[in-house]
Amino acid sequence: MTPAARVQAAIEILDRINAGAATEQALTGWARGARYAGSKDRAAVRDHVFTAIRGRRSLAALGGGDDGRAIMLGALRDAGIDAGTLFTGQPHAPATLTAAEAAAGRTPQGAEAMDLPDWLWPLFRDALGQEAAPAALALRDRAGVHLRVNTARIDRPGAIAALADEGITAIAHPAADTALTVTDGQRRIRQARAFDTGLVELQDAASQALSLAVPLSATARVLDYCAGGGGKTLALAARGLGRIVAHDAAPERMRDLPARAARAGQPVQIARTGELAGLAPFDTVLCDVPCSGSGSWRRAPDGKWALTPERLDALCAIQGEILSAAAPLVAPGGTLAYATCSVLRAENEDQVARFVGAGPGWSLTTSRTWPITGGPEGTDGFHLSILTRNT
Ligand SMILES: C[S@@+](CC[C@H](N)C(=O)[O-])C[C@H]1O[C@@H](n2cnc3c(N)ncnc32)[C@H](O)[C@@H]1O
């Protein structure tokens, strides 16, 4: 495909998304009908579409409209590319620009320039202060590819060497002793032997730092209450401390966890909700609760535009219910680690303050928010509060 044909494909996919399709669904639908597209074409079209969704609001302002054509026009202007070189009217290319399109477009302002809905921008400012604008702007970029070195099996230099043998270049990431940034060969990782044999896992570097900050001891009984796919379960297990039990209200989400744990050489016990009371008390319970995902919207940009104040309230209510359900499973003197992949106070500090303020049973020991950061070593945003059970 020519560069112009890739832009035209992105325009058509964006129009399907505007008509209500989810981004992945629209991309898959296009790919099925585009047998002529090679893997580089598919990757380039995917990049166009994700760039457009992440920056949808500012690009619509720059392009003078919110259909696929205007957004791609805005994206080209944003990248400093003369749109006339791609909107050529040649076969498979976008039609030439009309005079109205060429004249349309303006510089985005305020929340629009931050690529956030109006109601969310003040919440970002409230949570992150000076870091709000860099965080919002970082959400417009593609996320870096980070690996967690399974230090139970190999050290960081060893993992870098094993990846290099397979043509993948990685360097140490400063956020965590286990973390690597992949600088070349990102698309080969899932096929790499180092990945297949459990030497490395894909995990954001700040998520690794969070997992390392959860208190564990050699004899600890540990419960990952919202284990999901098991990213944090495996990161905890890799520390080689204590005995890890994984649980999720939707057990099917943990489907691949036993195989991944076996591949990593780390035993993890899977428990159903009805089994937890019999396994309690636990010394440490991690609640990595469902949240807005505001810290990782560059990976799942649909979420940024789908969130509403009502949906945020509903998520906060679920988070409160999870804290209440998990708290009795913690032994006296034990730890409840409350985590989100969000930077919003409502889901973090406010949620924790409400829980601690509800009675004398709990105190807040430490709290940390990792802001969303940009650049090649940029990390997702996370929050972790460590709560200690007093009685
Ligand atoms: C943020 S995800 C967990 C991600 C996972 N810890 C990881 O690192 O890959 C939140 C998980 O909470 C689960 N969940 C939702 N409601 C729950 C509840 N009431 N009790 C336990 N888990 C719940 C969801 O099914 C989802 O898998």
Side-chain angles (χ1 to χ4, degrees):
M1 291 171 76
T2 62
R6 291 171 175 174
V7 170
Q8 177 58 26
I11 289 171
E12 289 166 18
I13 294 165
L14 289 168
D15 283 336
R16 287 188 213 180
I17 295 168
N18 273 348
T23 301
E24 287 298 346
Q25 182 196 353
L27 278 162
T28 311
W30 167 76
R32 267 201 213 105
R35 297 277 149 91
Y36 50 85
S39 63
K40 286 196 175 133
D41 297 320
R42 283 164 204 251
V45 170
R46 187 181 176 82
D47 274 353
H48 280 322
V49 170
F50 268 82
T51 300
I53 301 290
R54 286 190 205 105
R56 196 168 89 185
R57 209 176 162 197
S58 67
L59 300 180
L62 278 170
D66 53 17
D67 63 4
R69 206 171 141 84
I71 291 179
M72 283 312 297
L73 178 56
L76 295 172
R77 286 177 176 156
D78 189 47
I81 296 168
D82 175 2
T85 61
L86 294 161
F87 284 56
T88 58
Q90 299 285 313
H92 311 297
T96 40
L97 290 176
T98 64
E101 284 176 320
R106 57 181 173 74
T107 306
Q109 307 290 333
E112 187 181 57
M114 294 297 135
D115 270 311
L116 286 172
D118 284 339
W119 70 275
L120 259 171
W121 174 226
L123 273 57
F124 259 62
R125 276 200 316 240
D126 181 40
L128 297 174
Q130 302 277 15
E131 294 180 86
L137 294 175
L139 285 177
R140 303 180 75 230
D141 295 334
R142 192 189 332 171
V145 177
H146 301 164
L147 296 172
R148 178 174 60 75
V149 178
N150 179 3
T151 47
R153 300 270 309 277
I154 194 165
D155 61 12
R156 201 154 54 164
I160 290 172
L163 290 163
D165 284 346
E166 301 187 69
I168 296 166
T169 311
I171 55 170
H173 191 293
D177 287 346
T178 50
L180 299 177
T181 308
V182 180
T183 56
D184 192 32
Q186 287 87 342
R187 294 191 204 280
R188 286 197 290 277
I189 289 166
R190 286 180 189 279
Q191 288 76 47
R193 219 168 31 249
F195 180 78
D196 195 43
T197 56
L199 298 182
V200 294
E201 279 278 347
L202 283 159
Q203 189 173 32
D204 180 83
S207 177
Q208 299 179 46
L210 184 156
S211 304
L212 289 170
V214 173
L216 294 184
S217 70
T219 56
R221 290 154 300 164
V222 183
L223 172 63
D224 188 356
Y225 189 75
C226 303
K232 295 194 186 61
T233 316
L234 292 175
L236 293 178
R239 290 169 62 188
L241 295 168
R243 196 170 142 226
I244 316 280
V245 176
H247 162 267
D248 197 283
E252 67 280 6
R253 295 197 177 207
M254 300 185 290
R255 199 174 32 233
D256 298 336
L257 184 50
R260 287 172 73 199
R263 191 174 69 184
Q266 290 141 3
V268 168
Q269 181 183 349
I270 306 286
R272 295 260 169 182
T273 305
E275 295 166 338
L276 290 179
L279 295 168
F282 293 92
D283 303 296
T284 298
V285 175
L286 170 63
C287 290
D288 183 24
V289 296
C291 69
S292 64
S294 65
S296 52
W297 276 338
R298 62 187 145 194
R299 296 179 198 277
D302 289 343
K304 179 161 81 170
W305 306 114
L307 189 67
T308 60
E310 295 72 29
R311 173 81 186 128
L312 180 59
D313 287 347
L315 283 165
C316 290
I318 292 168
Q319 292 156 3
E321 286 164 18
I322 291 177
L323 278 172
S324 301
L329 302 171
V330 180
T335 297
L336 202 166
Y338 174 79
T340 68
C341 59
S342 176
V343 294
L344 303 178
R345 292 185 73 88
E347 301 181 273
N348 297 337
E349 291 87 348
D350 296 354
Q351 188 69 259
V352 167
R354 202 162 34 246
F355 176 75
V356 172
W362 291 89
S363 21
L364 175 61
T365 306
T366 59
S367 185
R368 178 166 177 192
T369 297
W370 286 263
I372 306 145
T373 57
E377 296 196 321
T379 53
D380 289 351
F382 288 93
H383 177 85
L384 176 68
S385 278
I386 302 296
L387 302 154
T388 305
R389 182 168 182 175
N390 303 321
T391 53

